[in-house]
């Protein structure tokens, strides 16, 4: 995005990176995290912005669009597609993997992948466990049908966490969708096709 000449603002969500670590799942509701994003825009004096989120970030971006449509010019929902509507399972397995003594003791392959990623990013495992245990509100097709800003949905072809792209695209008026061949939840985010699709979407009319 920077190479494309865009100003980029990257935030550490609560419980992540350098932001405050909270250990009660009640503090991680997506609508409230969307308000964090809105408060950051206010703090920076940005009236309207293109917004992109991956996985949990896609849910946060969707709630930001629903609550404050005037603040969003275009939105990219990536790493979360039909599961935004139907819900994502496996939260408790991932939370237990994050709380395990070590990654080697985690038997669930998917949960172990989350643990490895959290360790690679030097994340606070206890905070992430609280975050994954939070109530992940589903967004109904009716609510999504009220979105009026341009939306792009992107997910890997093999991403079982995200679900299928077409279902979410069909629920949002005028939305576009991109399926990344042979990509899953963990490697789609760095895919060149993802980056190219996002830049093309943001630069298009």
């Amino acid at each position: 995005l920077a190479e494309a000449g865009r100003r980029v603002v990257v935030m550490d969500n609560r419980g992540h990176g350098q932001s405050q670590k909270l250990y009660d799942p009640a503090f991680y509701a997506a609508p409230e995290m969307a308000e964090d994003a809105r408060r950051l825009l206010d703090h920076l004096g940005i009236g309207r912005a293109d917004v992109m989120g991956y996985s949990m970030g896609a849910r946060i971006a969707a709630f930001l669009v629903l609550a404050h449509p005037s603040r969003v010019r275009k939105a990219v929902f990536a790493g979360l597609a039909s599961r935004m509507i139907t819900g994502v399972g496996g939260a408790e397995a991932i939370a237990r993997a994050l709380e395990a003594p070590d990654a080697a003791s985690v038997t669930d392959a998917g949960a172990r992948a989350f643990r490895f990623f959290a360790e690679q990013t030097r994340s606070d495992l206890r905070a992430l466990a609280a975050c994954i245990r939070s109530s992940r509100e589903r967004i109904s097709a009716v609510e999504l049908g009220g979105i009026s800003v341009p939306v792009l949905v992107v997910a890997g072809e093999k991403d079982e966490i995200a679900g299928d792209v077409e279902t979410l695209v069909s629920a949002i008026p005028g939305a576009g969708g991109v399926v990344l061949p042979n990509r899953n939840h963990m490697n789609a985010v760095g895919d060149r096709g993802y980056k190219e699709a996002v830049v093309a979407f943001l630069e298009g009319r």
Side-chain angles (χ1 to χ4, degrees):
L1 292 171
E3 290 174 358
R6 304 184 66 85
R7 178 190 184 191
V8 183
V9 176
V10 184
M11 68 181 292
D12 284 341
N13 284 300
R14 54 176 68 190
H16 295 71
Q18 296 182 50
S19 288
Q20 184 179 6
K21 308 304 182 295
L22 306 166
Y23 303 109
D24 184 341
F27 287 116
Y28 291 100
E32 185 59 26
M33 293 176 80
E35 291 303 317
D36 288 343
R38 189 269 305 164
R39 285 185 278 263
L40 179 57
L41 291 176
D42 290 347
H43 174 72
L44 296 174
I46 299 173
R48 198 160 173 246
D50 296 322
V51 176
M52 177 168 64
Y54 190 88
S55 193
M56 177 185 74
R59 190 186 307 277
I60 294 170
F63 276 108
L64 180 64
V65 171
L66 291 170
H68 304 285
S70 65
R71 306 299 299 272
V72 181
R73 187 168 41 241
K74 292 183 178 182
V76 178
F77 303 154
L80 188 63
S82 63
R83 304 288 190 196
M84 188 180 289
I85 301 171
T86 62
V88 181
E92 185 56 32
I94 295 171
R96 287 198 301 268
L98 292 167
E99 294 170 334
D102 53 67
S105 64
V106 180
T107 57
D108 183 291
R112 188 167 58 248
F114 273 88
R115 172 60 181 258
F116 281 136
F117 182 77
E119 289 181 347
Q120 289 171 358
T121 55
R122 299 181 180 179
S123 298
D124 185 315
L125 301 182
R126 186 177 158 217
L128 293 190
C131 182
I132 199 73
R133 282 196 174 105
S134 68
S135 176
R136 290 183 285 178
E137 298 89 340
R138 301 177 187 181
I139 303 178
S140 71
V142 172
E143 291 175 290
L144 293 167
I147 292 178
S148 58
V149 306
V151 171
L152 176 68
V153 180
V154 186
E157 178 185 27
K158 298 181 178 180
D159 189 345
E160 297 180 358
I161 294 174
D164 71 280
V165 168
E166 183 53 38
T167 296
L168 185 58
V169 169
S170 297
I172 303 173
V178 174
V179 178
L180 304 171
N182 300 314
R183 294 299 187 184
N184 59 38
H185 195 71
M186 293 300 181
N187 60 24
V189 68
D191 185 80
R192 179 179 295 276
Y194 171 35
K195 298 175 184 179
E196 292 176 347
V198 168
V199 171
F201 169 69
L202 295 180
E203 291 184 347
R205 294 189 176 184

